[in-house]
Amino acid sequence: MKTAVFASLIAAATAFAPVTQKASSHSALRAFEDELGAQPPLNFYDPLGLVADGDEAKFNRLRYVELKHGRIAMIAVAGYLSAEAGYRFDGDIAIGGPAFADIPNGFAALSAIPSAGFWQIIAFIGFLEVAVMKDIVGGEFPGDLRNDYIDFGWDTFSEEEKLQKRAIELNNGRAAQMGILGLMVHEQLGVPILPGV
């Protein structure tokens, strides 16, 4: 009986002992663990295995798309909150149409905008996507759309400062993507976006 109790105590204790893990022989799985954006607590996070093959071109394309969506989400959050706070353009949204002040916030705005205006917005976004927001000359990193045209002082930064600023933009974009999703969900649930406004 004492032997059985002793054996069960040893088995229980070994359940909490640290396990040494054998190093993986698949270097492709570890190819991007030191890339920008691989930060605690998740480190490099690829739950769908999109870059499990270690293809750098695919990784760069996905990073470019992540940056673009992050930039769009940052603008969306700012626009959503400013509209919710009551800021509007002066004048009418269309010739003889409703005033900007008469357009509601959030999803309700989609049905209040005249259809020609809605299609103008879609066409403008398409124009930006096809003609403006592209990497023409091959920038320093995925998402570098300066195209040797504008600088804003980027070339005056050290490599460490550039890496830090890129990490800040990436993290702010990730947060904004979650933020705009949260704002849209709260609107659909009927929760006030800006309490007291």
Side-chain angles (χ1 to χ4, degrees):
M1 181 68 170
K2 289 181 183 179
T3 307
V5 170
F6 183 70
S8 65
L9 287 173
I10 290 176
T14 58
F16 298 102
V19 178
T20 58
Q21 301 221 351
K22 187 177 174 182
S24 173
S25 62
H26 301 291
S27 62
L29 296 176
R30 308 242 185 260
F32 305 112
E33 285 192 348
D34 294 328
E35 286 290 330
L36 177 73
Q39 300 160 151
L42 297 178
N43 297 318
F44 180 68
Y45 186 65
D46 183 20
L48 299 178
L50 297 175
V51 291
D53 58 355
D55 183 1
E56 188 172 353
K58 188 190 302 182
F59 175 81
N60 287 340
R61 170 71 180 147
L62 291 172
R63 176 54 48 92
Y64 166 76
V65 170
E66 180 183 17
L67 281 168
K68 181 169 67 171
H69 289 159
R71 291 168 181 167
I72 292 167
M74 287 186 269
I75 293 169
V77 168
Y80 203 101
L81 293 176
S82 62
E84 189 70 27
Y87 295 106
R88 298 285 194 279
F89 291 120
D90 292 331
D92 294 339
I93 194 168
I95 297 172
F100 281 106
D102 296 335
I103 303 295
N105 303 337
F107 288 105
L110 294 175
S111 60
I113 296 173
S115 63
F118 178 78
W119 290 110
Q120 282 178 332
I121 293 170
I122 298 299
F124 181 66
I125 292 170
F127 168 74
L128 290 176
E129 184 73 24
V130 171
V132 178
M133 299 299 183
K134 351 184 333 184
D135 185 3
I136 297 169
V137 297
E140 290 181 35
F141 53 89
D144 180 9
L145 304 179
R146 293 175 296 145
N147 294 316
D148 293 335
Y149 177 68
I150 55 175
D151 189 344
F152 297 123
W154 180 257
D155 292 331
T156 63
F157 297 129
S158 69
E159 291 303 316
E160 183 178 315
E161 288 173 316
K162 288 180 181 180
L163 195 62
Q164 179 188 16
K165 290 187 179 298
R166 288 178 53 211
I168 290 169
E169 179 189 23
L170 188 60
N171 285 331
N172 287 346
R174 289 172 176 173
Q177 290 176 66
M178 294 294 104
I180 192 64
L181 177 65
L183 289 170
M184 293 187 307
V185 167
H186 274 72
E187 179 189 340
Q188 292 301 307
L189 293 175
V191 177
I193 305 297
L194 297 175
V197 174

